[in-house]
């Protein structure tokens, strides 16, 4: 089996620039029907496909090889599942979509507007129905056609090392922002990096902006409401408050010292060994920390205390969605692979996800701890095409993290927000 590794591109194309590239999909459930016929090893499931993923770690360590081996036992006429791992997934795949260089199965980039999904991806209604009651079933859909199957469900919060907390003398998880800062101070005093923000990796920075505002506001539609104003970025609104927390953590020395190198993989080992105390990420990262050497019982998970109210919200969010290239020449095999990844491969469990199928209970013990703090769960909703169009026109890389890197290092936060507002205002006037 071949393995390829994508290079990191500096260019990130907006989804609007991709319009018209690729084919047009006609609504059909034919491939899903063939996939179902092949569920017992039918010869219709044969040949080979390429699967492109952001999980370079699972490509490198042979995990996907094991999935392929199990898949071929079920479908013996399958020749090859070729895996390609992409490090800077979002920007690279947007570029590659424009050139139709995306293999057969991929993870749908975040900023593809719903109205553009059919230009790049095949409808998956039959496959979605065959999987039963799914979370986020219609999240990647347009005009009644489903184009994506969620790979896993997460909630965001603070993943922490209990041994690091114990060493620092922290006896209870913080439930207010002041308590959170106090915990960071104790960790720092104990010689432990309080929290890795992974600024150098770029994508984790989205947590402090468009992810955080949805649950700190208690409003899953917070982002879409931005289209009604010329000034969505203010010091005293949810964006400004989240950015202020981030900057405070940096100013007080509570984050990693090397802010400009991509130390994402290394940071997992730091949290695993207790050299670092926390991440602000989804539950999906927990098993990766355990895989980096932590004992399962040493890793915990609690809701992020973003203010001093004592009220805790958490966002139920979808991880990437599996999609099939509209120009794939082997859609039956591609659908069978997605179904296998959702139901049988073990990827969901290994990734620490809440299963995509609502009938299945999550297996992650840390989720039980998280739920014991009784946060109000807010299910995220898709952003509108207009929100995407304005963001792309303004060249603000929502969910990419780059603009938040600039906010972190800005000397004057208000001036930085004013600049974002100006871009947003001009783009809003241009988008109808």
């Amino acid at each position: 089996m071949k393995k390829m590794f994508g290079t990191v591109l500096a260019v990130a194309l907006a989804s609007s620039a991709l319009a018209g590239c690729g084919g047009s999909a006609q609504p059909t459930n034919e491939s899903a029907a063939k996939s179902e016929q092949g569920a017992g090893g039918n010869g219709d499931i044969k040949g080979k496909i390429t699967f492109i993923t952001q999980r370079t770690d699972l490509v490198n360590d042979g995990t996907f090889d094991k999935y392929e081996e199990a898949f071929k036992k079920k479908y013996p006429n399958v020749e090859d599942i070729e895996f390609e791992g992409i490090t800077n997934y979002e920007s690279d795949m947007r570029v590659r979509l424009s050139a139709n260089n995306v293999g057969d199965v991929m993870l749908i980039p975040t900023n593809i507007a719903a109205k553009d999904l059919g230009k790049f991806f095949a409808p998956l209604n039959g496959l979605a129905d065959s999987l039963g009651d799914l979370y986020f079933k219609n999240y990647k859909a347009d005009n009644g056609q489903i184009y994506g199957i969620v790979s896993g469900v997460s909630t965001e919060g603070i993943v922490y090392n209990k041994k690091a907390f114990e060493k620092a003398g922290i006896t209870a998880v913080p439930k207010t922002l002041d308590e959170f800062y106090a915990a960071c101070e104790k960790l720092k005093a104990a010689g432990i990096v309080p929290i890795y923000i992974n600024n150098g990796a770029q994508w984790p920075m989205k947590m402090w902006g468009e992810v955080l505002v949805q649950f700190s506001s208690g409003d899953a539609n917070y982002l879409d409401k931005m289209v009604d104003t010329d000034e969505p970025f203010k010091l005293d609104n949810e964006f400004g408050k989240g950015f202020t927390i981030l900057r405070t953590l940096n100013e007080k020395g509570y984050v990693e010292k090397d802010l400009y190198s991509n130390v994402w993989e290394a940071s997992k080992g730091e949290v695993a060994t207790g050299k670092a105390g926390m991440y602000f990420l989804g539950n999906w990262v927990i098993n990766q920390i355990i895989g980096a050497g932590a004992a399962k019982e040493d890793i915990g998970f609690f809701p992020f205390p973003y203010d001093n109210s004592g009220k805790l919200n958490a966002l139920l969010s979808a991880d990437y969605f599996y999609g099939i290239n509209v120009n794939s020449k082997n859609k039956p095999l591609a659908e069978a692979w997605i179904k296998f990844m959702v139901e049988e491969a073990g990827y969901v469990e290994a990734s620490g996800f809440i299963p995509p199928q609502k009938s299945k209970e999550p297996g992650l013990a840390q989720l039980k701890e998280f739920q014991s703090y009784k946060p109000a769960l807010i299910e995220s909703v898709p952003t509108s095409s207009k929100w995407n169009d304005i963001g792309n026109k303004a060249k603000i890389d929502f969910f990419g993290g780059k603009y938040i890197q600039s906010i972190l290092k800005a000397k004057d936060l208000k001036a930085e927000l004013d600049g974002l507002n100006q871009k947003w205002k001009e783009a809003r006037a241009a988008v109808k």
Side-chain angles (χ1 to χ4, degrees), residues 9-312:
L9 302 180
V11 180
L13 293 186
S15 61
S16 59
L18 301 176
C21 304
S24 61
Q26 296 300 318
T28 176
N29 291 328
E30 179 182 356
S31 57
K34 288 183 178 180
S35 176
E36 283 301 288
Q37 290 169 8
N42 188 289
D44 285 338
I45 308 301
K46 59 187 178 182
K48 59 185 179 180
I49 57 171
T50 297
F51 173 44
I52 303 182
T53 174
Q54 90 286 15
R55 290 299 301 272
T56 56
D57 55 332
L58 301 186
V59 175
N60 291 337
D61 69 10
T63 297
F64 277 124
D65 290 347
K66 295 176 182 177
Y67 294 161
E68 180 187 19
E69 183 180 352
F71 185 72
K72 285 181 175 177
K73 287 181 179 178
K74 183 171 184 176
Y75 301 108
N77 291 327
V78 172
E79 298 171 31
D80 188 24
I81 309 295
E82 186 175 279
F83 304 116
E84 181 175 358
I86 303 292
T87 302
N88 197 3
Y89 192 85
E90 284 286 321
S91 60
D92 281 24
M93 291 310 295
R94 292 174 201 167
V95 172
R96 290 176 58 161
L97 271 172
S98 68
N100 190 33
N101 179 23
V102 291
D104 299 278
V105 179
M106 63 179 292
L107 291 313
I108 298 175
T110 306
N111 278 4
I112 304 297
K115 66 181 181 181
D116 292 331
L117 288 169
K119 298 171 184 175
F120 307 110
F121 304 102
L124 301 176
N125 293 53
L127 176 59
D129 289 343
S130 77
L131 288 166
D133 193 8
L134 292 170
Y135 284 110
F136 301 102
K137 183 175 182 179
N138 295 302
Y139 198 97
K140 295 293 182 183
D142 186 53
N143 287 329
Q145 295 300 310
I146 296 170
Y147 295 101
I149 305 294
V150 69
S151 62
V153 178
S154 294
T155 187
E156 277 81 17
I158 299 295
V159 179
Y160 71 107
N161 187 304
K162 295 179 181 179
K163 292 291 186 182
F165 271 40
E166 182 180 337
K167 180 180 177 181
I170 302 167
T171 57
V173 302
K175 296 182 177 63
T176 67
L177 182 58
D178 284 345
E179 290 177 1
F180 182 73
Y181 288 144
C184 287
E185 185 61 36
K186 288 183 178 181
L187 288 163
K188 180 182 177 182
I192 298 166
V193 177
I195 183 168
Y196 256 90
I197 59 172
N198 273 292
N199 179 70
Q202 185 174 308
W203 62 265
M205 300 301 284
K206 69 183 180 180
M207 298 300 299
W208 304 97
E210 46 275 19
V211 174
L212 178 55
V213 299
Q214 294 177 76
F215 64 89
S216 63
S217 66
D219 185 358
N221 292 296
Y222 187 95
L223 296 179
D224 267 352
K225 292 178 180 179
M226 293 168 62
V227 304
D228 298 324
T229 178
D230 283 337
E231 297 183 342
F233 301 100
K234 297 182 178 181
L235 288 174
D236 60 354
N237 73 0
E238 301 305 321
F239 272 111
K241 291 174 184 177
F243 297 151
T244 297
I245 294 171
L246 173 65
R247 287 166 61 89
T248 299
L249 293 173
N250 183 43
E251 289 163 5
K252 290 183 176 292
Y254 296 156
V255 303
E256 67 268 19
K257 291 182 179 179
D258 185 355
L259 287 173
Y260 300 103
S261 299
N262 186 344
V263 293
W264 164 244
E265 291 298 333
S267 75
K268 288 186 280 188
E270 295 282 290
V271 176
T273 58
K275 293 179 181 178
M278 296 180 284
Y279 276 143
F280 174 31
L281 288 170
N283 51 269
W284 55 267
V285 79
I286 292 171
N287 278 353
Q288 293 190 38
I289 297 171
I290 293 168
K296 292 180 180 180
E297 62 273 15
D298 288 345
I299 303 301
F301 190 38
F302 63 88
F304 180 42
Y306 44 80
D307 62 24
N308 288 319
S309 68
K311 176 179 171 58
L312 298 169

